[in-house]
Amino acid sequence: MSNRDVFYGCRLVAVLLICLDVFAGDKHTGPDNAAEHRKHSVELEDVVIGIQSQRNSYHARRSGQRKVEILQQAARLGQGVPVVVLLHELSQYEGDWSILPALPRLFAKYGHSASWLFFIEEETEVTLSALLEVLNRYPAQEIALFIWEEGHGPKLTAVPEFCTEPRDGCATTFTTYLPDCGDPVSKNDVFVAVKTCQKFHSDRVPVVKATWEKDAGFLEYYSDVTDASIPTISLGVPNTERGHCGKTFAILRRFLSKAVPKADWLLIVDDDTLISLPRLRQLLRCYNPKEAVSLGERYGYGLIQKGYSYTTGGGGMVLSRTAVSRLLSSSCGCYSDDAPDDMVLGRCFTTLGVPITHSPLFHQARPDDYSEEMISTQHAISFHKHWNVDPVAVYRYWLQDTRPRDEL
């Protein structure tokens, strides 16, 4: 794997269950000890629930609400109270899927008093009574043996109670539908910047015009040449093959200038990005444009070595006006015009303390590059690349809404 690593979590399953005996070095491998483990009835106080969340205020609020719901449910159940931890509050915690940095601290604090670490995402709904049934039916020893013996122990057992769609008997359910935070933001609150170049004017730009351009309030095409038929705008930055940092920073400066209408949000996309602007506007209602927000599909670069996160350019990078202002007011910028713009933005925002906020609804690749089961449970916002696909057909099937939406 290259240094430009992709850090994906268990999004499809949406839960991770870890036996603390594994970290304690518990070698109770004999049949008598295994039987003793099976005699112990797991109660809620034996469980630490870690809610994977993000530092943006919307996600911090959602994870806090999930914590309250779990504790209220435990009180109604009357079978003890689990420890519920919001992982974004742990120092040096790198985000909603980076569980490993949190494990040592959680084990040090709770390993003596708990038997299980149970990680969920803020979107995961938990039924505690069903969770207890799962923990008592599938003994900790089975999982501990498997991990401890590096795959030579008992086979892991699939647990149907961890569900991706709601049904009877589920301990957890998980969806990645669009959140409902109220009416979508106005068309005029989102300024759209499309990065292109002369060699793609004849094939990629027509796709944008045939699909999602009509849903934009303000949109400009930025190229290496001026073409009045599109029209495109040349920012005075030559086209580069490797990266587009120079062009992107020129777009950021133009966004804050008086040359374009003032808007709360900036969306930067490639000319081969397919996107649903109505769905994006619905999602943006959840976020506060007065905060510094960097939103998209998050990747990681060297996170284990104290690297940084960034939103991928192909899936679409969404920045609040406040975030752009903070960035351009700093000394952080491109080390060359052909530097990778998405990674440079991520490095800069990390330096400035601006959280990189992930949404699973943005996609750096094509629909065929993802599991059908995963993306079928989404209201996707974007896909990227035209390789070996009909991009217009992809847009119509995955991104075009069949029912009309009110335009504000």
Side-chain angles (χ1 to χ4, degrees):
M1 185 175 289
S2 67
N3 282 336
R4 188 171 177 165
D5 296 331
V6 181
F7 284 80
Y8 287 110
C10 302
R11 290 204 158 271
L12 183 58
V13 179
V15 298
L16 179 61
L17 194 59
I18 298 176
C19 170
L20 283 171
D21 285 347
V22 175
F23 295 92
D26 189 347
K27 295 188 179 182
H28 299 307
T29 57
D32 292 338
N33 286 322
E36 188 64 30
H37 270 258
R38 284 165 169 81
K39 291 179 183 178
H40 175 65
S41 176
V42 178
E43 299 179 353
L44 286 178
E45 59 236 28
D46 298 321
V47 182
V48 176
I49 300 177
I51 301 179
Q52 303 173 68
S53 54
Q54 305 187 74
R55 288 191 292 126
N56 177 275
S57 65
Y58 164 65
H59 293 280
R61 187 167 60 251
R62 285 187 73 187
S63 60
Q65 291 169 347
R66 182 67 68 200
K67 177 179 180 178
V68 169
E69 292 168 4
I70 291 172
L71 294 177
Q72 289 176 340
Q73 188 182 158
R76 292 193 299 269
L77 194 60
Q79 296 185 29
V81 180
V83 174
V84 183
V85 181
L86 304 182
L87 297 185
H88 73 270
E89 295 179 348
L90 296 181
S91 62
Q92 299 180 336
Y93 178 67
E94 272 296 333
D96 67 332
W97 56 57
S98 299
I99 294 172
L100 287 179
L103 285 177
R105 295 193 63 193
L106 290 174
F107 174 70
K109 188 168 185 179
Y110 302 109
H112 65 285
S113 59
S115 301
W116 291 94
L117 289 178
F118 183 55
F119 291 97
I120 63 171
E121 299 193 15
E122 64 190 46
E123 298 96 343
T124 307
E125 295 188 8
V126 179
T127 302
L128 294 179
S129 57
L131 175 61
L132 285 177
E133 290 182 12
V134 169
L135 295 180
N136 283 293
R137 188 183 313 138
Y138 302 101
Q141 184 65 17
E142 179 181 330
I143 298 177
L145 277 172
F146 181 85
I147 298 175
W148 186 258
E149 296 187 11
E150 298 181 348
H152 299 293
K155 292 182 179 180
L156 290 179
T157 303
V159 180
E161 289 85 358
F162 294 156
C163 310
T164 55
E165 292 290 340
R167 62 175 184 269
D168 291 342
C170 288
T172 64
T173 57
F174 176 80
T175 59
T176 51
Y177 296 133
L178 275 171
D180 183 6
C181 298
D183 293 332
V185 303
S186 167
K187 275 186 173 184
N188 296 336
D189 286 335
V190 183
F191 188 91
V192 183
V194 182
K195 297 183 299 181
T196 188
C197 61
Q198 186 176 20
K199 69 178 180 178
F200 295 131
H201 287 187
S202 61
D203 56 350
R204 293 186 180 179
V205 170
V207 173
V208 178
K209 290 184 172 293
T211 54
W212 58 268
E213 183 196 68
K214 63 183 181 301
D215 291 323
F218 303 130
L219 181 148
E220 289 186 339
Y221 294 91
Y222 298 106
S223 183
D224 51 337
V225 297
T226 299
D227 184 341
S229 67
I230 292 176
T232 63
I233 296 171
S234 173
L235 297 171
V237 179
N239 186 53
T240 55
E241 294 294 332
R242 193 171 71 92
H244 306 285
C245 193
K247 178 184 287 186
T248 294
F249 270 76
I251 291 172
L252 298 178
R253 291 189 290 270
R254 182 172 174 84
F255 175 69
L256 293 186
S257 74
K258 295 182 180 180
V260 299
K262 187 174 181 180
D264 288 337
W265 299 98
L266 171 65
L267 168 66
I268 303 176
V269 295
D270 294 343
D271 51 10
D272 58 347
T273 300
L274 300 169
I275 192 163
S276 168
L277 293 179
R279 295 180 189 175
L280 174 62
R281 290 169 41 226
Q282 182 178 339
L283 178 65
L284 288 179
R285 177 56 69 194
C286 298
Y287 296 92
N288 183 355
K290 294 182 180 179
E291 295 180 5
V293 178
S294 173
L295 173 66
E297 182 180 23
R298 183 170 58 191
Y299 279 22
Y301 176 81
L303 290 180
I304 297 177
Q305 293 80 32
K306 298 182 180 180
Y308 55 87
S309 299
Y310 61 96
T311 56
T312 59
M317 300 183 290
V318 183
L319 303 173
S320 66
R321 191 174 195 87
T322 303
V324 177
S325 297
R326 283 192 59 182
L327 177 60
L328 294 185
S329 298
S330 73
S331 59
C332 197
C334 303
Y335 52 84
S336 65
D337 280 348
D338 66 347
D341 52 347
D342 50 4
M343 298 182 74
V344 170
L345 288 176
R347 175 177 56 82
C348 289
F349 283 132
T350 299
T351 301
L352 295 171
V354 175
I356 306 300
T357 302
H358 173 75
S359 169
L361 305 180
F362 294 81
H363 301 88
Q364 172 71 7
R366 307 161 301 170
D368 289 348
D369 297 318
Y370 299 89
S371 161
E372 171 78 18
E373 186 176 3
M374 183 183 80
I375 60 174
S376 65
T377 62
Q378 297 182 345
H379 289 158
I381 285 178
S382 70
F383 291 103
H384 182 225
K385 299 293 185 187
H386 294 176
W387 297 337
N388 300 319
V389 296
D390 178 347
V392 175
V394 168
Y395 173 81
R396 289 175 178 170
Y397 183 81
W398 290 104
L399 300 171
Q400 187 172 47
D401 293 317
T402 56
R403 58 184 177 87
R405 293 177 180 268
D406 294 333
E407 298 297 340
L408 302 180

